[in-house]
Amino acid sequence: MSKITAWLRARWHQLTGTGSAASVSLGLLVLACTFISVAGPRQSQHILTSALQQEIGKTDAQAQSVVGTIAYVTYDASEQSDVPPVNLTGSQSQLYRQLRRKLPVAAGQEWTGLYGGYQRDLSASRQFVAGNGTPQLELLWRNTLGRRSRLVAGAMPSTAKISRQHAVFQVALTSATAARYGVKVGSRVNVGNGNTLLVTGILKPLRPESAFWTVDPVAEAPVFNVLTNAPSYWQGAVFVGWHEVLPMQLRLNTAPMQITWDFPLALRTLTAAQASPLLGQLTGFIDQGANVSYPTSNQGEFVQNIPLDSGTQSTLQTFVQQETAAAGVLGLLFTSLAVIGAVILLLTARLLAEHRRSEFELMRARGASRRQLAVLALRGGAVVSVPGAAA
């Protein structure tokens, strides 16, 4: 052990000569300056990322999604009122593939919905709506309802029975809606024009804060619509099944119908450095929309542009503007620190050279060339600077 120590000491003196103490100081300064030059910007990015995540956390789930919305009559290029649900889910898949190439879309969270318009509840019990106008119920179809809710009573809706002048739609609704409208499994609701809603299931929403339940405010629970010059009334929602989408288009007025595709974004790992590029990609989709294709009965394969929107755009715009304003101040600070560090290192290197002046003069007198002295000095500085910078 002592031989190894003696060998290391000899090698150390061979490399640093008479400037051992100054070499140690140089190494420590390199370590400190490198640490500051790396840790400063890194800590700055960490602070900015934390601020970005706080801003994102203030928004609701709906604002953290990319939402495509189009009127049913626009999507229905054939104008035959016969858009099958497979067309809607097919468009969902096409939109998802386009979005995920450039946006952090959360896998498996997307969904498709058809808003069927409000229907007047003509059979509501007066004890639930006393003193108010006639309550309304909107018909909704969502392709992932089974994964977004838990059935607490009855069964999920499946089919509609349609005759020439009458139709019975099986529907499911949340516990809050059932309580407000005074219905249970087996109840029938008359919505006029020969259409009846048969309640087959009562649901409990899962993750009610998600965009699935918040995009449409009445999906989870009824909302009391207060009017100034007319009787106020309740608005609620019921859900139909996959096989009822086509009958719903045939029996109901298609003018108010809307189709929605929702794609939640995975923003929990978004960093400040990624905010500006993401804003650019998101703005491109919002400005141009996305194209989908689907078969129609009279036009063959049809290409439709789907308008897109996202509340994340405004969040990122605000953050990027604030970050740009702060970047000038931070850049000046980091540049000043870099200049100060460079000056300190130069002064320390000069001090090290002064410590070894007599040693270099003696070597020069013995015939060493300037090149040899330069190599020796650089080697002595590198032996402490490189480990310091690496550390």
Side-chain angles (χ1 to χ4, degrees), residues 113-151:
L114 175 63
Y115 158 71
Y118 280 99
Q119 314 297 318
R120 300 179 67 194
D121 179 4
L122 301 178
S123 56
S125 174
R126 300 308 300 173
Q127 63 177 318
F128 294 93
V129 293
N132 302 313
T134 303
Q136 296 182 358
L137 285 169
E138 68 173 351
L139 270 66
L140 295 176
W141 170 73
R142 300 278 175 84
N143 66 325
T144 61
L145 178 64
R147 293 193 284 112
R148 310 283 182 159
S149 62
R150 180 169 60 85
L151 195 65

Side-chain angles (χ1 to χ4, degrees), residues 17-74:
T18 57
S20 297
S23 295
V24 172
S25 300
L26 176 62
L28 292 175
L29 282 173
V30 170
L31 186 149
C33 291
T34 305
F35 176 79
I36 292 173
S37 66
V38 174
R42 181 178 180 180
Q43 183 63 19
S44 172
Q45 285 296 309
H46 176 72
I47 293 174
L48 290 173
T49 298
S50 297
L52 173 61
Q53 288 297 325
Q54 289 178 6
E55 290 299 314
I56 293 174
K58 294 177 183 178
T59 62
D60 56 25
Q62 181 181 348
Q64 298 178 34
S65 295
V66 176
V67 182
T69 305
I70 190 170
Y72 171 86
V73 293
T74 302

Side-chain angles (χ1 to χ4, degrees), residues 310-327:
S310 177
T312 302
Q313 184 188 31
S314 61
T315 302
L316 294 180
Q317 283 177 337
T318 301
F319 173 79
V320 170
Q321 290 172 356
Q322 295 174 347
E323 182 188 28
T324 302

